[in-house]
Amino acid sequence: MSSTDVSAKRTINYISWVALALMTTSSVASLRPSPTMAVYGLASIFLYLLPAIVFLLPTALVSAELASGWSGGVYKWVSEGLNKPLGFLAVWCQFAMTIFYYPSLLGFVASTLAYVINPDLASSGVWTAIVIMVCYWTGVWISSRGTSGVAGLASGGLIIGTLVPGTVLVLLGMIFLGQGNESAAPMTADHLLPTWAGLSSLVLIVNNFLSYSGMEMNAVHVGSLKNPGREFPRAMFLAMGLVLLIFILPALAISWVVPAEQLSLTAGVMQAFDAVFAEFGTQWLTPIVGIMLVAASLGGMLTWLAGPSKGLLLISKQEGYLPPFLQKLNKHGVQQNILVTQGLVTTVIALAYAFIPDVSSAYWIFSVITTQVYLIMYLLMFVAAVRLRKTQPDHPRGYRAPMITGLCGVGFAASLAALLIGFIPPSQFGSGSVGTYLLIVAGGALGLGLLVPYLFYRLRKPSWKEAPAS
């Protein structure tokens, strides 16, 4: 084979570090958390930057080393570094977080759709519950038919539902200030840090850990870089910069226009668009932007719907962690029984919106549970990475994270702190029952994240394990 042939063959699978940065940005960045941080005004910069440094960066670099050395995702990493039962717990948490992720994501869809149809519906728990159930089960129907092209819909959603409306929001917000209007939130240097009113004043930062989660999934592409050691950190720093811009600027734009006390955590983005468009006499654009945001969210839901459950299915078939009923595939080769079972739980959670008086409170509680379940997986990943560096130092790795013990220590401490802080009711919901909040959050996070996989593991039978192919 000539050197030209070898060169051509080698370049086929390579991607540039800029392309990887953009792929990472598209999978992490979203306008959805903007209203949550807009409550803090200028302090939102600090509240986004802190978790980026102590969580996003360690997660990206550590998962890159693991992905470049061991294929098979988080199950392989944790089972190799610790043991198989903890590997199952890690992959379970990666799947289980989606059970609460969908209600919080679709709660955002419901409030956004309300602005298209009737803004008064945004505070209706019954409306929110109906939208969640209809959207989720429609997604299950689409996914169970093995429909292709969903990934293209989601990547297009980044442009249609994030970059375009986000840019419009920021530009109009700047024009709003440029015309001499006073910002709803103070923009002075003494507001760069959040006001300290006890631990509850910082609880909303937990939501930012979920905003940055998913970096371990992008780490699988580290082997597609020509020089991973130099290019992957570049890609991650560029992605982090882009993600921070997409998160921070729209949050600031919202804080300029909508007073914090009027913000809804689910409908805040549409509130801001509506207020800004009203200033310029173009409120007819509000429904159009709403449809763009909904399209992006639904596209993202479809790509997440089958992915984590498929990973859980493959491990369960090999090791017999789930009963045969949940391992069955339909005629399209899709794990329909897992999706339907997950949907029944999601439906019950959706109905909670109809019974919790404040939709924003329900949205926040489900976001916290989602984050805490996912953080259990990250805790295991950081410990496994340190163990693998010590027990298998000579194992081939395409990329080696610098100061891995320190990186994992920072990431582990930040993840543990975020998990514990999640049990503290935020100051915005101080009027509710602390006991009820703790019961729901602890029951959801510990029950779903630890108890359910423990029961599956303890009750498993040899017959659950798929016979190896002859």
Side-chain angles (χ1 to χ4, degrees), residues 94-387:
Q94 197 173 50
F95 159 75
M97 61 80 68
T98 63
I99 294 175
F100 287 95
Y101 171 74
Y102 297 131
S104 62
L105 172 67
L106 295 176
F108 170 77
V109 168
S111 63
T112 304
L113 273 178
Y115 269 81
V116 177
I117 302 167
N118 178 3
D120 291 338
L121 290 172
S123 58
S124 168
V126 175
W127 160 260
T128 304
I130 291 172
V131 171
I132 290 172
M133 288 187 285
V134 170
C135 288
Y136 180 84
W137 287 108
T138 302
V140 169
W141 180 77
I142 293 172
S143 296
S144 65
R145 296 177 65 84
T147 305
S148 59
V150 171
L153 174 65
S155 56
L158 170 71
I159 298 172
I160 296 170
T162 301
L163 296 183
V164 172
T167 302
V168 169
L169 180 62
V170 173
L171 287 177
L172 291 182
M174 292 170 70
I175 294 171
F176 172 81
L177 293 181
Q179 290 179 336
N181 295 296
E182 188 176 347
S183 170
M187 291 289 124
T188 54
D190 55 339
H191 288 87
L192 276 170
L193 295 177
T195 304
W196 180 253
L199 282 175
S200 61
S201 64
L202 283 177
V203 168
L204 283 176
I205 198 174
V206 173
N207 209 42
N208 290 353
F209 280 74
L210 179 62
S211 300
Y212 291 134
S213 62
M215 293 295 288
E216 78 285 354
M217 296 183 184
N218 295 289
V220 298
H221 301 294
V222 69
S224 299
L225 297 170
K226 284 186 178 180
N227 188 336
R230 187 174 73 248
E231 294 181 339
F232 190 81
R234 284 185 187 175
M236 289 304 102
F237 280 114
L238 176 57
M240 191 165 79
L242 292 173
V243 167
L244 284 171
L245 287 176
I246 292 172
F247 279 148
I248 291 171
L249 294 182
L252 287 176
I254 292 172
S255 72
W256 296 336
V257 180
V258 186
E261 62 273 11
Q262 295 178 18
L263 267 173
S264 159
L265 297 189
T266 51
V269 174
M270 293 308 297
Q271 282 181 323
F273 275 113
D274 202 45
V276 170
F277 289 149
E279 285 292 325
F280 295 92
T282 55
Q283 276 183 291
W284 57 271
L285 285 171
T286 302
I288 296 173
V289 169
I291 292 170
M292 292 166 71
L293 292 171
V294 166
S297 296
L298 293 179
M301 184 198 79
L302 288 174
T303 57
W304 272 85
L305 200 56
S309 59
K310 188 173 183 179
L312 178 66
L313 174 79
L314 293 175
I315 300 307
S316 298
K317 277 180 171 291
Q318 294 170 15
E319 303 294 338
Y321 290 136
L322 295 181
F325 172 77
L326 294 177
Q327 295 184 27
K328 286 183 179 177
L329 303 176
N330 65 8
K331 63 181 181 180
H332 298 288
V334 176
Q335 57 282 9
Q336 185 172 310
N337 287 359
I338 290 182
L339 295 178
V340 170
T341 304
Q342 181 181 7
L344 294 175
V345 180
T346 300
T347 299
V348 172
I349 295 170
L351 290 173
Y353 274 97
F355 297 105
I356 297 178
D358 183 357
V359 172
S360 283
S361 294
Y363 175 82
W364 168 251
I365 287 170
F366 293 138
S367 293
V368 169
I369 293 173
T370 302
T371 305
Q372 289 182 305
V373 171
Y374 212 3
L375 285 170
I376 294 171
M377 184 275 291
Y378 283 113
L379 291 173
L380 293 169
M381 186 188 81
F382 286 125
V383 174
V386 174
R387 288 268 302 154

Side-chain angles (χ1 to χ4, degrees), residues 42-63:
L42 199 59
S44 62
I45 297 174
F46 169 81
L47 294 175
Y48 269 124
L49 199 56
L50 180 63
I53 294 170
V54 301
F55 178 75
L56 175 63
L57 201 56
T59 298
L61 299 182
V62 170
S63 60

